[in-house]
């Protein structure tokens, strides 16, 4: 199967999920197992803003993940913007202009995607 031609899109998506309190990476991985989501299907986990967890997944898995989350009464954030100035939570950038904060958010997102 691994040596066959691919028959679908080779793109990736982020699914953003709300969380009430700060979680560690390990805790999120445990919750994924509890929800019976295969660990190998979630390529990366990161925390783009306070109260939000992001899952990097293959686009072909997105519908399945969203349906499993909804079955557990977890509603993904479909309107979350990772490059919005509101995601900057560091107080040292609190006095920056909206444009500077947006630029900083774009830099942070680009750094995360490049890793």
């Amino acid at each position: 199967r691994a040596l066959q031609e691919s028959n679908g899109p080779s793109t990736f998506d982020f699914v953003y999920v709300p969380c009430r309190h700060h979680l560690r990476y390990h805790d999120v991985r445990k919750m994924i197992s509890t929800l019976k989501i295969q660990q190998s299907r979630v390529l990366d986990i990161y925390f783009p803003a306070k109260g939000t967890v992001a899952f990097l997944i293959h686009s072909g898995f997105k519908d399945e993940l969203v349906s499993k989350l909804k079955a557990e009464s977890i509603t993904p954030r479909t309107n979350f913007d990772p490059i919005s100035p509101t995601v900057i939570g560091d107080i040292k950038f609190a006095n920056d202009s909206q444009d500077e904060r947006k630029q900083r958010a774009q830099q942070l997102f680009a750094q995360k995607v490049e890793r």
Side-chain angles (χ1 to χ4, degrees), residues 4-6 10 12 19-20 29 33 35 41 47 50 53-55 60 66 70 78-79 92 103 108 111:
Q4 295 176 351
E5 287 187 42
S6 76
S10 224
F12 301 91
C19 64
R20 292 186 184 161
R29 282 283 179 194
S33 293
L35 296 173
R41 304 298 293 270
F47 306 92
K50 185 176 181 178
V53 177
F55 300 121
V66 169
K70 286 184 177 180
T78 55
N79 60 350
K92 68 182 175 185
Q103 185 178 18
L108 292 171
Q111 288 172 357

Side-chain angles (χ1 to χ4, degrees), residues 9 11-13 41 57-65:
T11 59
F12 301 91
D13 283 324
R41 304 298 293 270
I57 57 167
H58 190 275
S59 296
F61 178 61
K62 185 174 184 176
D63 292 336
E64 183 180 339
L65 176 63

Side-chain angles (χ1 to χ4, degrees), residues 34-61:
T34 303
L35 296 173
K36 298 197 179 5
I37 298 169
Q38 294 176 5
Q39 296 282 332
S40 61
R41 304 298 293 270
V42 178
L43 304 174
D44 191 22
I45 297 169
Y46 87 106
F47 306 92
K50 185 176 181 178
T52 305
V53 177
F55 300 121
L56 176 63
I57 57 167
H58 190 275
S59 296
F61 178 61

